[in-house]
Structures are given as structure tokens and as C-alpha cells.
Amino acid sequence: MMKHQDLIGRMTLEEKASLMSGQNFWNTKAIERLGIPSIMLTDGPHGLRKQGGRADHLGLNKSLPATCYPTAATLANSWDKSLIYDVGKDIGKEARSEKVSVLLGPGLNIKRNPLCGRNFEYFSEDPYLTGELASEMVKGIQSNGISACPKHYAVNSQEHMRMTIDEIVDERSLREIYLTGFEKVVKESNPYTIMSSYNKVNGEFANENQYLANDILYSEWGFDGVVVTDWGGNNDRVAGLRAHNQLEMPSTNGITDKEIVNAINEGTLDESILNQAVDHLLSLIFKVHLDDKEPLQVDYNQHHNKAVEAARQSIVLLKNESNILPLKDGKRVAVIGDFAKNPRYQGAGSSLINPYKLSNSLDYLQGSKLNIVGYAQGYKRMGGKSSKLVQEATSLSKSAEVVLLFIGLDESTEAEGVDRNDLKIAHNQLELVESIIQVNDNVVVVLSGGGALELPFADKVKGIIHTYLSGQGGGEAVADILLGNCNPSGKLSETFPLHYSDVPSYSYYPGQQATSEHKEGLFIGYRYYETANVPVRYPFGYGLSYTTFEFSNLMIDKFTVSFDLTNTGEVAGAEIVQLYIEMLDSRIFRARKELKGFDKVYLDPGETKRVTLTLTKRDFSFFNPVINDWEVESGNYKIQIGSSIQEIHMEETVQMDGVSPSIFIKSEFPHYSIADVKQIPDSEFEKILGRRLPSKHWDSNKDLGMNDTINQAQYKNWIGKLFYNSIMFFHFFFKKIGRPLTANNVYFIINMPFRQVDRFTGGKVSKKNVETLLRWINR
């Protein structure tokens, strides 16, 4: 039964179809004669990006000032659900104060590979942690009476070719890894909207994928909200509508509205499907439109303080040899590195926030009781050698007792639309590190960046802290950690490999042309390193403190796990306790252990608290595609309590009743059984996939069509090559003149399918024009 049946009955077919796409870049259409208002959707996810002038999706044009909170990758290191709820609540409040009804976030795709250019927007390599934290963010945002919009559903794992790439993933990995976070969010926090991803999943575009949307999202999980496309993410509008994709954004100036009307008039689309879609959209509009609601006043200073606190709780202390930190009053300290003065605090693209204010560490350190002997830039921010800068920094370092060396990734390396090339810090920065450790034994490295890095100097320096991308208050937060005003409590929500070649998807990532094969299957992040016994630089869940903790008195009563935690040090601090489950002697291939519980516990010196974590039957289960359901394998399971996946302090074995599986048997999968997944034979992957693999390459003999990309034009005739090279010229031009972010955004165009040209230009370049261009290219 539709909620708005009477209202829908008074609409013309054209009016109903018109509601299925935007009025402009950020707003839905209004129908004034029926009292249907327009609502505004705009970018998050770690702050409000509302553009006051010309609109775009890539962060090219400035937005209104807002609080820039730490990114999701940073917040995840806090493992603090209440903190993330509060951040979501603040962001939602700012959105509502600006009459924004739908905030596009959080992002909760799994970090399949550390090179993904958008990993800074995502929480973790682990689906359990991702789902728990994203659920709190959604609850916080929606506490303001607006909608969050978790994204990108689903399996959005790379930026390269993101609008056409076909993510080939087996059903078990899809359920256990890539959908678990979304399932938790839908069931635990009831988001009003969800954004579909650009990519295909097993041959079908996500926004028209009947299995993902109708079968799983709506029928199985009970989602009753609206699915909105990513901006420009529509392929076949009618197929999308059949798959519960109610809203296409941005506006196409009526192009796709006509496609819906024509399909109904021609009898290829039942009008009842359109009516149901309109009903869903109206429910959202009337729930979150803000024109008649009380305006909210935002205390931006209070929000800045929350941003500082969020950064403090999320910074990770990776090394503290000889207790070099915290720094003592009066210590002679040299501050080196451009990031100390000009912080790297967020990623680039649609999440680019115009911060209300911005702090830097240098100012706060100079105002402390340290004896700051000087500051040196040390390196060119965007790369390139400078002997003068290195010499200045090295000379200054000789006069200091401790060197604080601020290094990391620049703005061009982590952005929407382009993946990272490697896990390396720029060569000029590494050269600076080597020069300074030659003249000073007490070096503390302060890292900035949105994810994992190779750290070849880790054994040569005394201290390392990773700030990730800590938002507008990161400068204050970093200073507080270094000075001991705050005890670091962040822990890694992803694994740091020794080398990129150690990553399980190393051989398969990214998919270069037609497909991206997820041959590593379940073995993402720590699931691989732990099972295959591969050494890492820093394990999942790792992070140091200025105090120490003791675990004791473990008790397990069915699904309730409790134990004592004591602060045995001399300063107050927080420990992130982690619960892992390991099955003993499993018949099926599976990860050695999996995270299934956690809590962040704050303790004064000498204080003890009883910690209780609750499990469910699902926590012991694997997904069986044969019965399309979760099953528990009978046997013994270790319940492990630790401070990281490699630091287990207590464990106890419990027995679970269940089934004796007849699928995924180890003997039938020789590589998966030992997590030897970096060179999986096609035949073994096809066995868990249940079908033959499609070709991973473009067919260069085939004429280009509307679903092919501008990138592919380079392989056709001289017209195609000229068209491609003309666009690439601008990429190199912007790089040359020092605008790497704009250069990166050219890849959005290069990877765009031809079908999007008329829609993204609102018909200024018509479909007929595009078809003509394709005929020329295909000659």
C-alpha cells in the first residue's frame, strides 16, 4: 500500500517521471501545484560541502565555510562509537542550518587495496568495524531530522575506470566482506537514502542491479528509503527504475525523464513501478524538507573544539623508543617540514571542505614551553629536489635535542577519480629523513596521509605518530599529543604492509580495462596477513600509549564475554579492547581470525573497569551461497581478547553446534585453503565464482558505443587518438603549472562513458552529437 496514493493519483505521467531526476546539480524537482517541495542534497562526508556559486562534483569550485572534521579513515582509528556519533550530529546540524536535507555520506566501502585513491573517505579494511562506525555516523547525522546517505553501494573498490569497471567477486566474499557494512547500517541505523556506485558488479551496473537492490537491499534487509545514483552514475534509466533506483542526480534537463515516459507509453515499463518509486521519494521529501522547520544556530567554535577532540582520539602513536614522547618542557626542538606550518588535513574531490578555521602544529608548538630552536620547510611540497631546503633543515637539526619531522603525502596523491601509484612517501622527503638522521639521533616523524604507507626509515627514528588526515583542528591535536597534554589512544583500522608487493590484491589491482577480478576473495587486509603468516610493519588494531594496561579475569557465558581492564601506568589513558574469533580445525577455507567486538575504555591511573562485549550467532557464521543464508560450522572456537590482532592477552575456547559444511572444503581449494591468494589460477577462482570469467580486456576490434569510455578512443583511428590526446594535454598542462588537483580531475573525464556526455552537459552536447563523434572514431 502506497503512503501517497491520493497525491500520486493527481499527477500526470510526465510529472511523476520528472521527480525521478534532479532539478539542477543539487536539488530535486518541486511540483508547486501539488505542494511538493524541492529538497537539497549535498556532499559530506566529513563536513558540509555546500557550494554557494557554480556547482561541480569534484571540489573544483569553493564551498561555503564549514567545520572540516577528520576524514573517515582517521576517525576509524579512534574506534570510538560515541565520538563518531557526535561528529555526525555536528555535521548534520551544519547541514540543516544551511537547509540541506540529504548529506551524502558516510562512505563505507571496504579498503580492498591501499592504493585506492578514495580510501581516506572510508573507514577500514574490516567490514565489522566499518559497519559499527558507519552506523553511528548515520545515527548522528539523522538526529537532526535530515537524511544521511551511506555510499557507494556496492563493491566500489577503485577509482580507475570507476564508471564502467566490472567488479568480479564471488558470492561469499560479496556477503562477508563487501556487503556486511551496508547491512549493519541499514539494520542498525535506518538511513533514509543510500547512494549506488558507478561500477558494475558481476556484469550489471550497480544502480540497475536487481540482485543487489531488489533482492538484498529492499527484500532481505528491509530497506524502505530512497536509492540515489552517484552523480552521473545512471546507465539505463528504465533498468535503474526497475531496480529501485528512484532518484537520478544531477539534472539531465529532462533527457532521462522522457525515457521513462516513452517506456511506459510503449509498454516496456509498468507504470506501477514508477508509482512506487514516486511514493518512496515523496516519503523522503516530506520527512526531511526544511522550509517549514526551525532554523538551527551553529556554534562553530564549539564544533572546532569537537574537531580537535576527534583528531586527538584518532592520532596513532606507532613508535616511541626510549619514551622520547611526550616531550619535556624546555627541550630544544627543531621543527622540520612544510606540513608543520601548512597542514595536510583532508583529501581532494567531492569531499573537499572549505574549513571555518584551520590550525597548524608549528604555531601551537612555538607557544608551548618547549625551546623551539627554529623551523625549516625541508622539502618542496609537491616533490622535486632542493639542496638548499635540505641543507637548511639539516643545519637546524644539529642544534636540537629532538627533531620533529613532519612528512607525508601531498594533496595530489589522494583524490577522487585517481588511484595512488604506490605506497611510497615522495623521494625528496625520504632524502630529507636520511640527511637528518645522520646528524641527530632523536628524530620523531609526524606522518600525514589518508592511509597506509611504506616506512623504510621506521627502524632508524625514535618516534613515529600518524595523524592521518585530521581535519581543521589537527594542528592543535598533534601538538597536544607531542606535549603530553593528551595521551594517544588511536589504533590502526587497517594493516601497514612492509612493502606494497605484500598486499594480497597486488597482482589484480586495479582492474585496468573491462574487469577487476577479486581473486583474493575473503583474504583482505589482516585476514590475509594473519592466515598466510606474512610479516607486516604494523598490524591491524595496533597503537601505543603513554600508559600501560592489564587484562584479567576473562569469563564467557554463552554470547556474553566479560573481563577486567586495569590502567597500570601513571597517566590517564584509553585502551581499545578487541575481540577476535578463531575457529579451530575448520573444514572450510576461512580467515584465521576475525574481529567481532571492540570497545574504547577510559581509565585513570590504577583504575579497573569490568568490560562486557556481546556476541551473536552471526559472529560465528559463514555465508553459504547454496542455501543463500548464514551457517555456523560445528566445532571449537577461540574467543580472543587483545589490544591488536597480534597482541592477544587472554583466550578461551567455546564449542558451537551447527553444520558440517559440504561447500568451500579446503581440499578442493588448494590455494585458498592456505591463503596463497596472490596468484590464484583462473580455474580455482571460477570454482568459487560459479561461472567462467569474462574477458578482462577491451575488445579493440569492436566499435565504441555509448557505454565505452573516452579512454578507449586512444586505441581507435586518428580522430579517437586526437580526441583522447587533446584531453590528456590539459592533464599534463595543469600538472606543469602546479595545479595537480585539477590535473587529477581530468581523469574523471577520461574515464567517463560516452553516454554521460549529454547528461553531464544537460543536453548542450546532445546524444546525437555524441553518436556522430562515435561514428567518426569508429571509421
Side-chain angles (χ1 to χ4, degrees), residues 404-523:
L404 295 178
L405 180 53
F406 289 73
I407 61 174
L409 301 178
D410 66 56
E411 285 80 357
S412 68
T413 54
E414 296 174 297
E416 179 178 0
V418 59
D419 294 311
R420 289 164 64 182
N421 294 320
D422 52 47
L423 294 185
K424 301 181 186 299
I425 295 172
H427 188 64
N428 64 336
Q429 295 184 37
L430 294 178
E431 284 187 337
L432 175 66
V433 176
E434 290 298 323
S435 297
I436 289 177
I437 61 178
Q438 296 301 317
V439 300
N440 196 307
D441 293 330
N442 296 314
V443 176
V444 175
V445 170
V446 181
L447 294 170
S448 296
L453 298 162
E454 289 181 4
L455 304 175
F457 52 80
D459 296 329
K460 303 175 185 178
V461 298
K462 286 282 182 67
I464 304 174
I465 71 170
H466 199 339
T467 72
Y468 270 65
L469 299 177
S470 52
Q472 69 180 47
E476 294 169 62
V478 170
D480 282 339
I481 296 290
L482 293 171
L483 297 169
N485 299 332
C486 177
N487 190 348
S489 60
K491 298 207 173 192
L492 295 176
S493 63
E494 61 187 316
T495 308
F496 275 43
L498 287 167
H499 310 284
Y500 177 60
S501 57
D502 295 330
V503 172
S505 55
Y506 169 80
S507 304
Y508 320 123
Y509 189 92
Q512 292 291 343
Q513 295 188 355
T515 71
S516 177
E517 298 175 345
H518 291 237
K519 284 188 170 182
E520 72 282 357
L522 300 168
F523 295 102

Side-chain angles (χ1 to χ4, degrees), residues 236-247:
D236 181 323
R237 187 66 194 99
V238 174
L241 204 60
R242 290 194 187 100
H244 269 98
N245 168 215
Q246 294 91 358
L247 180 60

